[in-house]
Amino acid sequence: MAAPQDVHVRICNQEIVKFDLEVKALIQDIRDCSGPLSTLTELNTKVKEKFQQLRHRIQDLEQSAKEQDKESEKQLLLQEVENHKKQLLSNQTSWRKANLTCKIAIDNLEKAELLQGGDLLRQRKTTKESLAQTSSAITESLMGISRMMAQQVQQSEEAMQSLVTSSRTILDANEEFKSMSGTIQLGRKLITKYNRRELTDKLLIFLALALFLATVLYIVKKRLFPFL
């Protein structure tokens, strides 16, 4: 298992490398910065903070080197500390050069803006007019879309109302159909009952007629053939 002192040394080296890379990235941002001065000031503030963190970590590593028991490990760590200090000085030099480059670029840009002030004002005016026209066109387009959406909503409401009316009509027709179906069923039953009664009446008439004929024949027989 690694000793706590070795772990501390390893963490110091890792953070020194991290802060060094962050400082280099910020210095490159300063080189690429073309203004305004507020942006440059903000970048310089961040660089100062990173330099402070980097110095503290180098000091921690140096203290850890002095606390090493073995002379060989002590000298090795002190050499690393020296290398980190040299890299720190190199970063500071690059930082000053980057600031100088950025300030020159900002000065040149300000001079160019002063020389072309009239053109810039005209361009800004044209740009404002163009933006106003574009804004007006966008507003008109949005209003058109709003009107179209309102029409679509109204059409949807009308279609929904039509569907509701159609649904009610279908329901009414269904109720009428049910009522007619009941009437038809009742009529069918009455017709069936009537047919049965008609058959019964025919049978009774037939029997009555048969009885009548039998009676007539009996009377005729008695009068014509009394001896039979």
Side-chain angles (χ1 to χ4, degrees):
M1 182 176 179
Q5 194 172 19
D6 294 337
V7 173
H8 182 69
V9 169
R10 186 164 61 252
I11 292 174
C12 283
N13 277 317
Q14 290 175 353
E15 292 192 351
I16 287 171
V17 172
K18 185 186 75 168
F19 292 141
D20 179 70
L21 292 175
E22 289 176 351
V23 166
K24 285 181 168 60
L26 288 170
I27 291 172
Q28 185 60 46
D29 290 340
I30 291 173
R31 288 196 190 96
D32 298 335
C33 177
S34 58
L37 285 174
S38 58
T39 302
L40 178 60
T41 302
E42 183 180 353
L43 289 172
N44 281 323
T45 301
K46 292 180 180 179
V47 172
K48 289 176 182 178
E49 291 175 357
K50 294 302 177 182
F51 269 132
Q52 187 175 4
Q53 292 171 340
L54 184 56
R55 288 193 193 95
H56 286 164
R57 273 311 178 186
I58 292 174
Q59 289 173 0
D60 289 343
L61 184 61
E62 187 175 12
Q63 184 62 33
S64 297
K66 293 177 180 179
E67 293 174 357
Q68 293 294 320
D69 296 331
K70 295 181 180 181
E71 185 65 24
S72 59
E73 293 180 357
K74 178 180 179 180
Q75 293 299 324
L76 183 62
L77 287 177
L78 288 174
Q79 183 61 42
E80 289 183 7
V81 170
E82 189 63 27
N83 292 335
H84 289 316
K85 288 181 177 180
K86 290 180 180 179
Q87 186 62 47
L88 178 63
L89 292 173
S90 176
N91 286 335
Q92 289 177 334
T93 302
S94 299
W95 179 33
R96 286 192 292 270
K97 291 180 179 179
N99 267 280
L100 181 60
T101 302
C102 180
K103 287 178 180 179
I104 292 173
I106 292 173
D107 290 341
N108 291 334
L109 182 61
E110 290 178 350
K111 290 177 182 178
E113 288 179 351
L114 289 174
L115 292 174
Q116 298 176 359
D119 293 337
L120 287 174
L121 288 175
R122 283 191 294 271
Q123 289 176 4
R124 288 175 183 173
K125 183 178 179 181
T126 303
T127 302
K128 287 181 180 179
E129 292 176 352
S130 177
L131 288 173
Q133 292 176 356
T134 304
S135 177
S136 177
I138 292 173
T139 302
E140 290 293 331
S141 178
L142 290 174
M143 291 178 63
I145 293 172
S146 178
R147 287 192 294 269
M148 186 181 299
M149 291 178 67
Q151 291 176 358
Q152 291 291 332
V153 170
Q154 185 177 359
Q155 290 177 1
S156 299
E157 290 178 352
E158 292 175 354
M160 183 63 69
Q161 188 64 33
S162 177
L163 287 174
V164 171
T165 304
S166 299
S167 178
R168 289 177 181 173
T169 303
I170 292 172
L171 289 174
D172 293 341
N174 189 32
E175 291 296 328
E176 291 180 1
F177 177 76
K178 288 181 180 179
S179 178
M180 291 176 63
S181 177
T183 303
I184 292 171
Q185 290 291 336
L186 179 61
R188 183 180 297 172
K189 290 180 181 179
L190 291 174
I191 291 171
T192 302
K193 185 176 181 181
Y194 175 77
N195 288 334
R196 289 177 181 174
R197 182 174 292 179
E198 184 180 6
L199 180 61
T200 302
D201 291 345
K202 287 181 179 179
L203 181 61
L204 289 174
I205 292 170
F206 177 75
L207 290 175
L209 183 61
L211 180 62
F212 174 77
L213 290 175
T215 302
V216 171
L217 289 174
Y218 177 77
I219 293 171
V220 171
K221 178 183 175 183
K222 286 294 183 179
R223 290 191 177 186
L224 294 178
F225 308 102
F227 54 89
L228 294 177

